[in-house]
Amino acid sequence: MKNFINNQAFTDTLTTLASNDTILVRDSSNSKKNTEISYGNFISAIGGGITNDNFIFVNTPSDLPTAVSNVITLLANVTYYFTTTVDLLGDRIVCGANTVILGASSENCVLKSTGLSSSTALITSNYSLPIRNITFTHGTVLNLDGDGTTTALDWFGVNFTDCATVGTIKDYTNFIMGDSAFLNSANLTLDGTIGTVGFSNTLFDGRTSSTTIIVAATANITRRFRIIYSSFVCLSGETALNVSSSATISDERYILDTVNFSGGGTYLTGVTETSNKALYSGCVGITNTAVNGQLYMQGNATATVVSATNTFYKVLGTTTASADNAKYTMTNNRLTNNANISRKYLIQCVLSFTSGATHVCEFGFYDSKLGAIRTPSRTKSTANTGGRAENVSFACVVSHSNGDYLEIHCANNTSSQNITVSDMNFLITEIK
């Protein structure tokens, strides 16, 4: 866009300019130098409708390209700057390559189309489409289908007001939206292959009997789906987020960070905090995700066979997984980490055992990451001479990531007498 420079612009005498006075226009391209134009023509230009280096001010529909069969085709590589409420009166917009839609403020710059079918999208595009500081109001607003490789959406200060169906966004490298609002608006569907979906500082005030944001079963989010520092107002009968459990999202890449949910509706469906895909932190109104694992054994009579002294063996017996495990899977006496992000954990175990009289037995955590018993966890206890089960507890701190696992092992340091662990409680807790 050109810069308009005149010495009088820096004085209090600007109003003395006559329409036939000239002002200096400086173009930033290499092909043009400073040019003088009529001040009167400049005032007309910013009044609307005049193309100036691919920048058009829009006050009325007549400032846009002429509709053909109720379709206004915006020009490629042109920025349209809306200055007020513009009613397309039954027409709709199809964008060209790299069309840009700007408004002065979403408070007073509105795009709508009275008479256009509510099921027909107000805006259609197959290209990148930057949008700033404007409000849309229509039954269906968006039908955006990029190429998934070169197209992107970057929106700021965009409001959807009284929109029954915000519309569909499909096959974009990125969709980023900030400082925006859904006001009595819902049913934004994300589909196809999208790299990153990101919302920040955005208010989502949904709509009766509707879902505000939908991630379709056929969606493939290749990097992340993230909402941060935002709020959902979701009243009874409404749903805030429906991220299909069949959608392709990598573990811990469905991110909700400092998001407030209120209103008493259904906040999350599909993927919830129990899924490995989810990573929720600092949120209000929903359960934040945590990584924890637990297994236990009660009344076990299976002995752990000891073939040699001072040698560790995996404790034998049938263990049960806690129903509250999150991002940990259990096989017999083994907890395996399924969290994508590396974290620190407190690991604890308490157990009861019997062995030969006065035999010194040793217990500890076998860590697959080390391929050995964790030294700080190694704890000894002497078997009771009367055959009563002795209690022993031990703990440690570990750093683990996806695929690492832990087991409880035991050794007899006195003889090759077998060890029977009758009761055991093994717990892994994420350290924040």
Side-chain angles (χ1 to χ4, degrees):
M1 186 178 72
K2 294 177 179 177
N3 299 314
F4 300 94
I5 302 173
N6 186 281
N7 288 337
Q8 295 188 66
F10 302 100
T11 72
D12 58 1
T13 59
L14 179 60
T15 54
T16 62
L17 285 172
S19 62
N20 60 348
D21 285 338
T22 60
I23 61 175
L24 184 65
V25 177
R26 178 170 296 161
D27 196 293
S28 59
S29 67
N30 293 329
S31 60
K32 298 180 181 180
K33 301 298 182 181
N34 297 340
T35 304
E36 288 188 342
I37 66 170
S38 163
Y39 177 69
N41 287 342
F42 170 58
I43 295 301
S44 297
I46 65 173
I50 305 300
T51 301
N52 192 345
D53 273 355
N54 298 324
F55 194 97
I56 298 176
F57 287 82
V58 181
N59 293 332
T60 68
S62 63
D63 296 328
L64 297 168
T66 301
V68 177
S69 300
N70 297 112
V71 175
I72 299 170
T73 302
L74 301 185
L75 300 176
N77 302 305
V78 172
T79 297
Y80 294 87
Y81 189 97
F82 290 78
T83 62
T84 186
T85 296
V86 175
D87 190 339
L88 302 182
L89 300 174
D91 293 336
R92 63 186 180 91
I93 284 176
V94 174
C95 297
N98 302 316
T99 296
V100 178
I101 296 176
L102 302 181
S105 169
S106 56
E107 296 298 320
N108 51 28
C109 298
V110 180
L111 182 60
K112 62 181 182 177
S113 185
T114 302
L116 180 66
S117 170
S118 62
S119 61
T120 300
L122 180 65
I123 298 174
T124 298
S125 180
N126 300 120
Y127 306 101
S128 294
L129 180 60
I131 304 177
R132 302 282 189 278
N133 302 321
I134 193 167
T135 291
F136 300 105
T137 181
H138 184 61
T140 303
V141 180
L142 305 173
N143 180 13
L144 308 182
D145 190 351
D147 62 14
T149 304
T150 63
T151 52
L153 303 173
D154 184 8
W155 298 353
F156 181 88
V158 176
N159 288 357
F160 296 98
T161 301
D162 299 327
C163 303
T165 302
V166 173
T168 300
I169 294 174
K170 181 179 179 182
D171 291 332
Y172 279 85
T173 56
N174 293 300
F175 168 40
I176 305 298
M177 186 174 187
D179 288 27
S180 300
F182 286 47
L183 305 173
N184 191 35
S185 298
N187 296 307
L188 169 63
T189 299
L190 304 170
D191 203 353
T193 300
I194 305 177
T196 295
V197 176
F199 297 92
S200 63
N201 298 300
T202 295
L203 171 63
F204 300 94
D205 187 354
R207 193 175 175 94
T208 301
S209 303
S210 297
T211 300
T212 306
I213 297 178
I214 302 163
V215 178
T218 50
N220 177 19
I221 309 298
T222 60
R223 287 190 289 274
R224 65 196 62 82
F225 177 94
R226 178 181 61 215
I227 303 176
I228 62 173
Y229 306 122
S230 297
S231 294
F232 282 85
V233 178
C234 178
L235 303 180
S236 178
E238 302 174 2
T239 300
L241 280 163
N242 180 4
V243 177
S244 172
S245 57
S246 298
T248 302
I249 304 175
S250 297
D251 287 352
E252 301 197 299
R253 299 298 177 87
Y254 172 18
I255 301 167
L256 301 177
D257 185 349
T258 319
V259 180
N260 186 82
F261 293 84
S262 63
T266 301
Y267 298 149
L268 303 177
T269 59
V271 177
T272 64
E273 77 280 353
T274 61
S275 170
N276 288 338
K277 296 178 181 180
L279 180 61
Y280 309 155
S281 61
C283 297
V284 175
I286 63 171
T287 301
N288 291 291
T289 57
V291 185
N292 57 270
Q294 184 180 21
L295 62 79
Y296 59 93
M297 187 163 61
Q298 297 172 345
N300 173 57
T302 302
T304 301
V305 177
V306 175
S307 302
T309 60
N310 296 307
T311 302
F312 277 95
Y313 299 92
K314 180 178 176 178
V315 168
L316 298 182
T318 300
T319 57
T320 302
S322 168
D324 294 320
N325 284 356
K327 303 183 184 180
Y328 264 94
T329 54
M330 188 215 75
T331 53
N332 233 20
N333 187 13
R334 176 182 293 183
L335 288 172
T336 302
N337 188 302
N338 294 322
N340 188 62
I341 298 172
S342 179
R343 294 172 170 87
K344 283 191 174 183
Y345 299 90
L346 173 63
I347 55 178
Q348 305 171 83
C349 183
V350 58
L351 57 82
S352 300
F353 75 98
T354 58
S355 186
T358 70
H359 289 171
V360 177
C361 297
E362 189 171 5
F363 301 87
F365 297 105
Y366 174 85
D367 188 347
S368 67
K369 186 175 181 179
L370 301 179
I373 306 298
R374 282 204 163 262
T375 300
S377 72
R378 294 176 62 162
T379 303
K380 296 177 181 179
S381 182
T382 302
N384 184 270
T385 57
R388 185 189 66 210
E390 288 290 339
N391 292 331
V392 62
S393 61
F394 45 102
C396 196
V397 173
V398 300
S399 293
H400 268 191
S401 55
N402 194 300
D404 294 335
Y405 66 83
L406 293 159
E407 299 172 341
I408 307 302
H409 284 216
C410 63
N412 193 324
N413 294 349
T414 305
S415 74
S416 58
Q417 177 77 31
N418 292 344
I419 301 171
T420 300
V421 175
S422 57
D423 299 274
M424 180 170 71
N425 190 355
F426 173 25
L427 180 66
I428 300 176
T429 308
E430 177 184 351
I431 299 174
K432 294 292 187 180

